[in-house]
Amino acid sequence: MSARIDKIVTSGQFKLDGGSWDVDNNVWLVGDDSEVLVIDAAHDAEAIQRAIGDRRLTAIACTHGHNDHINAAAELADRTGAPILLHPEDRVLWDMTYPDRKPDELLTEGEVLTVAGTGLRILHTPGHAPGAVCLYAPELGALFSGDTLFQGGPGATGRSYSDFNVIIESIRDSLLSLSPDVTVHTGHGDSTSIGAEAPQLDEWIKRGH
């Protein structure tokens, strides 16, 4: 039996460039009854730990280093002993939240994380952040896109360390080539699919965000 996907929503603040915004974050759990992987430990380590239950937490994978996606990672790691995984190019953002703590392991393009017998392939998709990644689980027909791709367009690129042309290239080359029926589980808001988003690429390029 392959792994299942669970979601909890946590709330807090996203802070960057001197501003702060109230946000709701999707925290994704992929696993079975005995072990689980957490994608983006946001805001509330206790709530995430409750969702994990008595399962072994294999890792805490960060889709990128913005504070609202990692600000519960250290506490969750300390509670469970699980390693925190981050792409090296997002250390500049990570260090804003955790100046005195490094991620435990570095994510690389093409690497496969395995939980409950299910593989999740790391796709480096810079643009929203330099070290942004998506996790693709072909057996589950699922992509965990962080803030790279949402229902209706790419993630925001108006703040430091982001670039619209780069995120468009990432989405076009790494994501839209996946099967149209792949479900896209996003970092905020509702899930979508590759098939629903792919036809809109030219429109996003035209509007510039």
Side-chain angles (χ1 to χ4, degrees):
M1 194 174 77
S2 62
R4 67 178 185 269
I5 299 168
D6 297 309
K7 177 181 84 166
I8 64 168
V9 178
T10 58
S11 302
Q13 288 198 323
F14 166 50
K15 299 179 179 180
L16 189 65
D17 297 338
S20 63
W21 299 265
D22 292 333
V23 287
D24 296 328
N25 283 64
N26 297 330
V27 180
W28 297 99
L29 295 89
V30 182
D32 58 14
D33 291 339
S34 60
E35 63 179 27
V36 66
L37 171 87
V38 163
I39 300 169
D40 288 349
H43 307 304
D44 191 338
E46 187 174 334
I48 300 168
Q49 191 169 24
R50 281 199 304 271
I52 293 166
D54 57 5
R55 296 179 285 177
R56 181 175 74 89
L57 181 58
T58 61
I60 302 161
C62 307
T63 61
H64 60 295
H66 284 151
N67 76 292
D68 60 317
H69 290 255
I70 65 170
N71 56 8
E75 184 181 346
L76 187 63
D78 291 343
R79 286 170 175 240
T80 61
I84 301 168
L85 284 48
L86 179 81
H87 192 280
E89 289 187 32
D90 255 25
R91 275 297 301 274
V92 63
L93 292 166
W94 170 274
D95 290 347
M96 294 177 188
T97 300
Y98 297 114
D100 302 318
R101 181 178 185 142
K102 296 177 182 177
D104 299 300
E105 297 173 23
L106 299 178
L107 294 170
T108 58
E109 166 72 26
E111 175 184 0
V112 176
L113 307 178
T114 303
V115 61
T118 300
L120 294 94
R121 192 166 85 239
I122 301 302
L123 307 175
H124 180 212
T125 53
H128 178 71
V133 300
C134 298
L135 292 86
Y136 174 47
E139 291 169 65
L140 303 178
L143 177 79
F144 300 92
S145 65
D147 286 0
T148 295
L149 179 62
F150 290 102
Q151 185 179 62
T157 52
R159 302 194 181 96
S160 295
Y161 307 106
S162 64
D163 187 296
F164 177 72
N165 291 329
V166 172
I167 202 171
I168 286 293
E169 188 178 323
S170 292
I171 291 170
R172 184 184 61 224
D173 297 350
S174 295
L175 305 186
L176 299 187
S177 56
L178 300 176
S179 170
D181 23 346
V182 168
T183 300
V184 180
H185 296 299
T186 58
H188 308 271
D190 295 334
S191 295
T192 181
S193 70
I194 294 296
E197 302 308 320
Q200 303 180 63
L201 179 66
D202 290 341
E203 183 188 322
W204 304 335
I205 293 170
K206 197 179 298 180
R207 77 186 187 199
H209 63 86

